[in-house]
Amino acid sequence: MSETTDGQKTTLTMMTGAPVPAPAEPLYATGAPAPVGQPGTEMVTVTIDGKSMQVPKGTNLLEACNHAGADVPFFCYHPGLSSPAVCRQCLVDVKGQPKPVPSCYTPVADKMEVITASPRVLDIRRQMLEFTLLNHPIDCPICDKAGECTLQKQYFDWDAKYARNDGIKVHKAKHVDIGKHIVLDQERCILCTRCIRVCAEVAQQPELTMAQRGDHEVLTTAPGKRLDNPYSLNTVDVCPVGALTSKDFRFTMRAWELQATPSVCPGCATGCNVEVHTSREQIYRLVPRENPYVNQYWMCDEGRFTYKRIYDDRLGQPMSGGELVEWDRALEDAARLLRAAVDQGAGKVGVVFSAQSTNEDLYALSRLAFDSLGVTRAYVAGLDQGWSDNILVSADKNPNTAGAIAIGGGRLKSLMDLANDVKSGAITTLLVVGERGVLGDGGTSALPISKLQALIVLGWRKGPLVNAAHVALPLADWAEIDGTFTNRQGTVQRIRAAVPPAGDALPGWEIVTLLAHRLGMPLEFGGRPSTSPPSARAVFLEAREKMAFMKNADWGRTSLPIQLRFANSRG
Ligand code: SF4
Ligand code: SF4
Ligand code: FES
């Protein structure tokens, strides 16, 4: 296959023709401190617990302490947000200062000498912890945050004493419906203000505030507001306790039962890095995974619910002639239909590439279509454009438009061209790999399916196109496969299988390889003969060699899911 594309330089244009922005800079920037040790910045010398080190000027002292190996606890500090220094957990002694200072609010200065665990500091931290716990309910056995709660962790790490308060605690509202996705328990709130800052600084919609004073102070919604911004569920992630819970996740699974698999959100072209949290082969939630160049610490609410697609009316078994059949029969039927069309002339076969597929699926398909079958008519499909903002969300609702366009190159035409080519009889047989959006988001389009002699669909879900197919082959979906997506910046990012495929579904590259074998045109990846399908990694490695846009891509290490039981606190 000829190398015709450069993903970094390709102007991304979705099916509807609107340009997709491809920013070179990190997509999102907060006032977070520069990472400790970043080259090119002015350095200062600081001594932390007797250890002298150089850090960039202006580094947050809390970051510097923890980088030096000191374990300085904190509640209100978050590296992606401003620092109000309200919880006083992070106090440290600085030589020359009469009182301990909040390290989260203090930039390092040259020749600063810091002691992170002096008797005075430890005593004050314990007192602050006791104060924070004074009116905190003993909800742990029924709290969603139990097992990943920062308050639990700090208590066991730094105090672990019985409460001295045997009086009646101040009671507050336990179940406040503050937004579309979130329930607030005011008693559990430790008034750290992280959630308020997420709304104001990340979502840029100040919807939360504090009300009342003293031990009656509560988190609440601002007058006339609900917590309904498109990034609202990030408040649940940053809440150090179980005060904010997600309606979708609460009471479904204990945190310590979950396993985390690193992956990428398929909701739009931004490609936010996520963890897929699973238990017993079922997905329970997606949470953001830090990537300073893509999504920092955040993801949008819409992206969090993309996992539900995995369970949405899936095609789990091959079909031929409208009947459920075994793989063997379905592949044979598909190969027969393709062979018949090729015998009429390869130009009669059209192939649809999906912007929802991985680079590996698309690359394998390009080998079959262009190199083996000699197809000259190829098209790109995907979900229609939608809303966007200047925070994270892209108008392009496909995770791999950049990959599809780079791999298909100038050969890919639009869905409008596809409809015209079917109408005119230019193509009589259509092979679709990934049905999403081929008929438009509402399942209607100008595509005259009845004019096709043969329709072969590799599909994720049942629907009009799959139902109309002469042969339908079940595709494993995004959270069920290993592979890569290319985001709108041109960054190739790894996705990992978190759950097994639905039914008998297989990855796209594997179905394409099996089909090629049936056609008597076996594909080789990396020069290895493939009597049986290769691995996704083998396809990736060859694609990386041949495709300029993938040349710096990294498959990464094999990564077993992390059990959250061993992953410390979250938030
Ligand atoms: S609800 Fe959670 S994040 Fe918000 S102020 Fe309370 S403890 Fe902090
Ligand atoms: S911005 Fe896009 S990629 Fe990021 S979480 Fe939302 S839908 Fe997913
Ligand atoms: S983390 Fe520093 S005062 Fe809260």
Side-chain angles (χ1 to χ4, degrees), residues 6 82 112 126 179 184 254 353 394 402 434 463 467 480 497 501 512:
D6 181 342
S82 60
M112 193 180 241
R126 271 195 292 268
L184 164 67
R254 303 316 312 243
F353 286 64
S394 301
N467 296 343
E480 302 165 341
V512 167

Side-chain angles (χ1 to χ4, degrees), residues 97-121:
Q97 299 280 348
K99 294 189 294 183
V101 300
S103 60
C104 69
Y105 194 68
T106 310
V108 291
D110 200 25
K111 301 191 176 54
M112 193 180 241
E113 287 181 39
V114 183
I115 302 165
T116 65
S118 66
R120 175 171 79 156
V121 158

Side-chain angles (χ1 to χ4, degrees), residues 324 397 413:
L324 295 176
K397 299 301 170 193
K413 297 197 287 178

Side-chain angles (χ1 to χ4, degrees), residues 62 74-77 85-90 102 104:
L62 175 57
F74 55 91
F75 286 125
C76 69
Y77 174 73
V86 292
C87 76
R88 303 280 148 167
Q89 264 309 286
C90 67
C104 69

Side-chain angles (χ1 to χ4, degrees), residues 192-254:
C192 74
T193 74
R194 277 178 167 195
C195 54
I196 297 175
R197 283 173 281 145
V198 164
C199 293
E201 296 167 19
V202 179
Q204 294 159 26
Q205 295 188 28
E207 291 167 338
L208 296 176
T209 186
M210 291 295 175
Q212 312 299 338
R213 305 184 70 183
D215 59 9
H216 283 72
E217 185 173 3
V218 287
L219 175 81
T220 184
T221 44
K225 301 267 188 190
R226 300 254 303 156
L227 177 53
D228 273 342
N229 69 67
Y231 296 88
S232 71
L233 282 161
N234 292 289
T235 62
V236 175
D237 296 327
V238 301
C239 183
V241 293
L244 294 170
T245 48
S246 151
K247 289 179 186 173
D248 184 54
F249 177 73
R250 69 202 307 259
F251 306 135
T252 58
M253 181 50 65
R254 303 316 312 243

